Amino acid sequence: MGGLWRRGRTRWMAVAAALGLVLAGGLTSSAASAAASPTVVGWLSTKGSSIVTAAGKPYTIKAVSWFGMETSNCAPHGLWTISLDTGLDDIAAMGFNTIRLPFSNECLAARTTNSIDANANPGLVSLTPLQLMDTVIARAKARGLSVILDRHRPGSDAQSELWYTARYSEQRWIDDWKMLATRYKNESAVIGVDLHNEPHGPACWNCGDQSRDWRAAATRAGNAVLSVNPRLLVVVEGVERQGDGTATWWGGGLRDVRSAPVRLSVANRVVYSPHEYPASIFAQTWFGARDYPANLPGIWDANWGYIAKEGIAPVLVGEFGTKLETDSDRKWLTTLVSYLGTSGMSFAYWSYNPNSGDTGGLLADDWRTRQQAKLDALRPILTPVAKPSPKPTATPKPTATPKPTATPKPTATPKPTPKPTTTPKPTATPKPTATPKPTATPKPTATPKPTATPHPTPARAPSAAWILQSSWGEGYVAEFEVTAASSTRGWTVSWESPGATAVPNAWGMTCALAGSTVTCSGLDWAAALSPGQTVRVGLQVSAPRAPAKPKLSVTAS
């Protein structure tokens, strides 16, 4: 992943020496001891319903997802605004002890990242995604934070129902996991592997069909990982459709574990990981029950809570989150936090990022202001600490070209029904175009003569390229790369989207729907363009299907 393998090797080895990394093998033993912190828990195992330390003491994983390495950016989002150190300091101060780090197989093989601000993050721009992953782990460890690696997507474009696709085979999935297990074999900050994010659709549990039996696939991949590093926790999510015909969230159904658990070659390694979301994500039937929210613990017990309560294995609720804008969602979160606190189950909140479209995050869109109401709701299961003063690396260095005071961010990325993947992001921090300098005011002559009124040359229409990011039965997310042919104060793009009913979210544009025609105009940082300038913008559309390759009508103003 990332960075020119490098002009050359000498430059990277210098960086590696500073970070305690080796190019092919992850973290060196000398760096590990240098970066070691007494607060890093180290390798973990399981005992009945508990996750335990090497000393046998029960341990609760309190994680938060910081996504972006699974998207086309191949880097944690927000590094266009804040430094990596600032984000990690903030996560630790909130009371989390672990980062769930999503990635895609595509990014593991990529040579570059994008959308990292070099002033806020000196030294990171030149790293490959794998080298950047090394750096995230090393700096997390220095703050006492462990890391769970989460295979969130095969390609960077979209979530997949199964653990393989036509482009990314099961063998590629397993080989990449073995590569990561080898890379971090001696790094105790990497405590676990979340094998595949949110199996759903045709995915089944113990159905016997090897092409879609998630339990069997998790067993194969888990054993492959443990053959390299037997000290890792193997995190196994559930499925959407359970054996008894009931359906729940993507990755949320673990009702069949009782009769068919995952058995690996190394004992005491499996942690089951359901995902749970509120009514604002999808109106599951139980949200409309008369006894809501008192009915929730019983539903959780039936789908996955029994696994811990019966001592079968530990449970880590791998995703849960909300914008916390409705009374129903507030009741859901209060009830879930109480359930987790009472049971002592581990968890991973979704997400640190503010740019998860349907849940938001723990930060406001400026990537600095905390969403305090959410943190207050999580307080019973977190142990916040004093927020440290910003480190020097967090302070951006001034450049000749002024930067916008806040990087505009997409307000949404859908989580498809029942739940999506990550929010698509602009591929680069937009920079303002140069402010035109006024021409000198003409000085009157002794006898002023009227001059001809200048007529501005009409701006040529920019070009726009359609990039479909993801689609599902009820909507899609698309982005555009808009490139200016000449200086323009604004632009508009429109296309036909049959069956479209709404445009819930957009970034870099303001959009409207008339019949089946979607019309969007550049907004804020993406409106005025200089010749040759390219911006990346996007939107979410509610529609039964996404246009394959719509005819775009683009105008300039």
Side-chain angles (χ1 to χ4, degrees):
M1 307 198 150
L4 301 179
W5 279 101
R6 190 100 279 178
R7 303 181 188 110
R9 189 178 164 93
T10 304
R11 178 179 177 186
W12 163 238
M13 291 307 289
V15 176
L19 293 175
L21 308 179
V22 292
L23 190 60
L27 307 182
T28 65
S29 57
S30 60
S33 59
S37 165
T39 58
V40 175
V41 67
W43 307 114
L44 300 166
S45 60
T46 71
K47 184 178 181 180
S49 63
S50 298
I51 295 171
V52 297
T53 65
K57 295 183 179 179
Y59 184 81
T60 301
I61 294 172
K62 302 179 179 183
V64 65
S65 293
W66 188 353
F67 67 77
M69 292 197 76
E70 81 286 16
T71 71
S72 58
N73 301 113
C74 292
H77 284 168
L79 298 185
W80 49 71
T81 297
I82 62 171
S83 72
L84 176 60
D85 292 328
T86 294
L88 293 172
D89 283 339
D90 197 29
I91 287 171
M94 287 176 178
F96 295 99
N97 59 30
T98 304
I99 293 173
R100 180 174 179 257
L101 188 64
F103 68 86
S104 69
N105 297 87
E106 182 175 2
C107 283
L108 292 182
R111 299 176 65 84
T112 58
T113 64
N114 61 75
S115 298
I116 299 178
D117 181 76
N119 297 308
N121 294 282
L124 298 190
V125 174
S126 62
L127 301 181
T128 69
L130 262 179
Q131 293 164 356
L132 179 60
M133 182 180 284
D134 293 338
T135 306
V136 172
I137 292 167
R139 295 191 185 180
K141 182 177 182 178
R143 290 157 174 81
L145 295 168
S146 300
V147 175
I148 293 175
L149 300 176
D150 159 42
R151 193 282 197 128
H152 210 78
R153 299 175 173 181
S156 300
D157 54 342
Q159 170 69 344
S160 63
E161 294 178 325
L162 301 173
W163 56 96
Y164 64 91
T165 65
R167 183 179 173 190
Y168 295 90
S169 66
E170 175 177 307
Q171 193 59 53
R172 169 79 176 270
W173 172 58
I174 291 176
D175 287 347
D176 279 349
W177 268 128
K178 291 178 70 175
M179 178 274 293
L180 291 173
T182 301
R183 190 175 187 90
Y184 303 117
K185 183 175 182 178
N186 297 315
E187 180 44 73
S188 61
V190 179
I191 59 172
V193 295
D194 191 342
L195 294 176
H196 175 61
N197 184 66
E198 296 183 345
H200 62 282
C204 61
W205 191 277
N206 199 43
C207 65
D209 181 346
Q210 295 301 294
S211 67
R212 61 191 188 93
D213 189 333
W214 169 235
R215 173 184 173 270
T219 302
R220 294 191 291 273
N223 282 334
V225 167
L226 295 177
S227 71
V228 176
N229 184 357
R231 297 171 293 187
L232 289 168
L233 294 177
V234 176
V235 180
V236 181
E237 299 185 23
V239 294
E240 177 187 5
R241 295 185 177 94
Q242 305 182 99
D244 62 1
T246 59
T248 181
W249 304 106
W250 292 5
L254 289 161
R255 189 171 291 203
D256 300 306
V257 166
R258 181 186 283 113
S259 60
V262 172
R263 300 191 189 280
L264 299 178
S265 56
V266 180
N268 302 319
R269 296 286 118 198
V270 177
V271 176
Y272 293 100
S273 185
H275 290 187
E276 279 292 322
Y277 282 94
S280 61
I281 306 303
F282 182 71
Q284 303 278 15
T285 56
W286 51 82
F287 294 124
R290 291 183 179 180
D291 57 347
Y292 177 80
N295 62 330
L296 292 177
I299 293 167
W300 297 331
D301 281 347
N303 285 338
W304 45 266
Y306 76 91
I307 297 172
K309 292 188 175 183
E310 295 178 10
I312 297 171
V315 168
L316 183 158
V317 179
E319 285 186 17
F320 67 105
T322 168
K323 287 186 176 179
L324 211 61
E325 293 176 342
T326 67
D327 182 59
S328 176
D329 276 25
R330 286 187 286 270
K331 290 177 179 177
W332 167 85
L333 183 58
T334 298
T335 307
L336 182 56
V337 165
S338 175
Y339 186 86
L340 293 173
T342 301
S343 65
M345 291 180 187
S346 295
F347 58 87
Y349 187 82
W350 185 274
S351 61
Y352 179 64
N353 309 45
N355 57 313
S356 176
D358 51 0
T359 65
L362 295 177
L363 299 177
D365 287 344
D366 62 3
W367 284 90
R368 292 183 173 87
T369 305
R370 292 181 174 183
Q371 296 278 13
Q372 196 57 49
K374 294 184 183 181
L375 289 167
D376 288 344
L378 295 172
R379 187 174 296 275
I381 54 175
L382 288 178
T383 308
V385 296
K387 188 174 182 180
S389 300
K391 296 183 180 285
T393 55
T395 306
K397 298 177 182 178
T399 59
T401 304
K403 305 273 184 184
T405 56
T407 303
K409 297 302 337 121
T411 56
T413 293
K415 297 209 175 212
T417 306
K419 215 212 106 260
T421 57
T422 57
T423 306
K425 302 299 338 120
T427 58
T429 305
K431 297 181 181 179
T433 56
T435 303
K437 297 180 181 179
T439 56
T441 304
K443 298 179 181 179
T445 58
T447 305
K449 297 179 180 180
T451 57
T453 302
H455 294 281
T457 303
R460 287 183 290 157
S463 62
W466 165 273
I467 305 167
L468 182 64
Q469 289 287 359
S470 60
S471 64
W472 57 101
E474 296 181 9
Y476 63 89
V477 170
E479 292 185 317
F480 297 94
E481 283 190 348
V482 180
T483 303
S486 62
S487 294
T488 177
R489 293 175 298 173
W491 53 268
T492 297
V493 59
S494 62
W495 69 98
E496 288 298 308
S497 183
T501 57
V503 181
N505 301 289
W507 48 98
M509 307 186 291
T510 178
C511 299
L513 179 65
S516 61
T517 302
V518 182
T519 302
C520 299
S521 300
L523 181 68
D524 298 331
W525 51 272
L529 304 177
S530 56
Q533 182 183 359
T534 297
V535 292
R536 189 157 177 156
V537 294
L539 81 167
Q540 171 194 351
V541 180
S542 298
R545 63 187 179 280
K549 195 174 181 180
K551 181 179 179 181
L552 305 178
S553 175
V554 188
T555 59
S557 58

